Amino acid sequence: MRSTEAARAMLAATLLCTLAAGCAGTDSASGKDTLTIATANTADCIDPAQNLTANASPFVRPLVDSLVYQNPADGSLHPWLARSWSGNDTATEFTFVLRTDVTFSDGTPFDAAAVKTTWDGIVGLGAQAATANSLLAGYVESVVKSPDTVSVRFSTPKSSFVQATSTTALAPISAAAWSLGPQERCAGKFAGTGPFTVQSIQAKERVSLVRREDYRWGAAPWQPGAAALARIDFQLVKEPGVQFDALSSGTVDAATGISQRQIDSLAGDRYTTTRIQSPGIVYTITPNTTRGPLTDDTVRRALIAATDRRQLVGTALAGGAPFATSILAANTPGYLELGDELAFDRNRAAGLLDSAGWRPGPDGVRVKNGQRLSLAVTYPSVDQVNGPLLELLQQQWAQSGIELRLRGLPVAELSPTQDAGDYDLLVFNQNRGDPDVLRTVFAAAGKNRARIAADDPLNTALDQQSAQAEPDKRSATVGQIQRTILQRGLAVPLYEPGSLIAADSRLDGYSIDGTFHDTRWAP
């Protein structure tokens, strides 16, 4: 047996033993109330405010509610912890009227003071809560007007703030948690108002959640009362082959990290497949516009023309995702279809590079003034899904005379590398159901992944859309921003990311909003 096969067999055996221990007494065909999911996500930090990546999101969403519920199907906003909300004409102040029948899982009441404490606490965390703080940029204060009414004020307009309150990043947690250290909250020592609570966490192996029996305040689309499932066991397994083996043998009920090809090989009557489409910025490659050849927008536009998205998705992802037609996913409010701007055209790529002075070298890699057109793309080394896709992109760009080097980094090194701008090309996606995600990622005052200057005109447009409360005007501005990003080669969009889940066909209503409130086993 080869070493990789032996490792896979050992992992599968370990997983089987773990699951057998964790699911005893819950595996009967009738009355089953436990869901066991194999996932490649990690649970290094499940504090909603400090969750800087999507890795811990599946574990966080069942634990906390938000002021507002965003329907994942159409992006519409509905009451949740907030019964109603309003904003002033300049989009600098928002008032939320809250439910009065809600408690945190530690028994303390949810009220306006809890909202203020959470948002003040997030601001106090600074860079430790980078994503949450980006949603609170310009925060001045929250004011408790009554036990069920809280107002928040910003120094600059934030037309996207109501949507921001639908995210887990701004979800309220109980006041007691803020007296603990950030690492304690990362380890799950906080109380939320969600339908589940943490039973146990083994950050590299398992996260177990249990139902709150007293839960009664779900969002409007949900069934009333407590969650249907009594328990959710997340088994943390990075290897897709081990996930597939566990699912096909019945030792897990669902798997979120297997490929489209593996899903296609499953028996159709035993399994169902759900794709949860992620709104926000698509899986994209963003150039550092301050480095080498990438300072030239002609070179950056050539990268777009040299990219065959249809082949990338069809071959590397087995057709398991839509290819990108803009920098925003199609289910994001404000999305503008720009497929023509992203058309694959190798002749156009060659013409652009010729005009920029890059000539084919003896080994096929283009050269200018003795410099090879060689670029490194930085990505998470643990990413077993997108690694093959980047390898195929490497082959595509080579045919246009562009050398693409793959620079896989450990997850712990990614954030400091990104923040320092120590990359040629950066691959990522950013989930959010609002086009203000463009400002978060591209503005010089935000994450600034393309490393644009502070006086770049794009910043003005990004700030403008954030201030526009009138939907049509904002959509027009957002559309122009998307067009500008592509025309300047500030991103090379690849495909629309999402979660592809294969599950036991007896499982009804696999959660597309992440709460698992209405997920249940068929009788």
Side-chain angles (χ1 to χ4, degrees), residues 266-289:
L266 294 168
D269 58 339
R270 287 184 54 199
Y271 303 95
T272 56
T273 303
T274 302
R275 178 175 173 78
I276 302 175
Q277 191 68 28
S278 299
I281 290 178
V282 302
Y283 190 79
T284 191
I285 291 178
T286 295
N288 182 340
T289 58

Side-chain angles (χ1 to χ4, degrees), residues 436 438-439 442-443 452 458-466 481:
D436 196 51
L438 294 167
R439 183 178 58 86
F442 287 99
I452 66 173
L458 181 59
N459 292 306
T460 302
L462 291 167
D463 288 340
Q464 183 182 16
Q465 64 79 31
S466 181
I481 290 170

Side-chain angles (χ1 to χ4, degrees), residues 77-293:
L77 300 176
H78 304 272
W80 195 350
L81 292 180
R83 292 182 288 152
S84 63
W85 54 86
S86 60
N88 64 2
D89 292 340
T90 57
T92 56
E93 186 171 338
F94 301 86
T95 299
F96 297 87
V97 179
L98 309 175
R99 294 183 64 135
T100 58
D101 58 345
V102 177
T103 61
F104 291 101
S105 59
D106 62 3
T108 58
F110 163 76
D111 55 16
V115 175
K116 173 179 170 57
T117 298
T118 292
W119 292 350
D120 287 349
I122 288 171
V123 173
L125 282 170
Q128 285 181 273
T131 299
N133 267 305
S134 72
L135 302 178
L136 288 171
Y139 181 84
V140 175
E141 63 176 347
S142 292
V143 177
V144 175
K145 294 191 169 183
S146 69
D148 69 344
T149 305
V150 61
S151 290
V152 57
R153 186 162 60 91
F154 296 92
S155 59
T156 55
K158 290 186 73 67
S159 61
S160 64
F161 184 68
V162 173
Q163 188 280 331
T165 68
S166 73
T167 66
T168 58
L170 300 187
I173 59 175
S174 68
W178 291 102
S179 66
L180 303 176
Q183 289 306 313
E184 291 177 282
R185 291 195 299 276
C186 272
K189 293 183 179 180
F190 63 86
T193 65
F196 291 87
T197 61
V198 175
Q199 183 182 66
S200 62
I201 298 177
Q202 294 171 271
K204 304 298 182 184
E205 296 180 13
R206 180 197 296 184
V207 175
S208 295
L209 310 181
V210 293
R211 175 174 61 201
R212 277 192 71 178
E213 300 296 343
D214 62 344
Y215 188 84
R216 297 292 184 272
W217 43 87
W222 301 356
Q223 296 293 322
L229 294 170
R231 178 187 176 99
I232 307 172
D233 281 321
F234 294 95
Q235 301 295 332
L236 313 187
V237 184
K238 293 189 179 300
E239 170 58 50
V242 178
Q243 285 199 30
F244 176 78
D245 291 344
L247 179 64
S248 56
S249 66
T251 54
V252 300
D253 306 312
T256 68
I258 62 178
S259 69
Q260 182 66 53
R261 289 188 181 85
Q262 290 170 317
I263 287 175
D264 291 342
S265 70
L266 294 168
D269 58 339
R270 287 184 54 199
Y271 303 95
T272 56
T273 303
T274 302
R275 178 175 173 78
I276 302 175
Q277 191 68 28
S278 299
I281 290 178
V282 302
Y283 190 79
T284 191
I285 291 178
T286 295
N288 182 340
T289 58
T290 67
R291 301 240 311 204

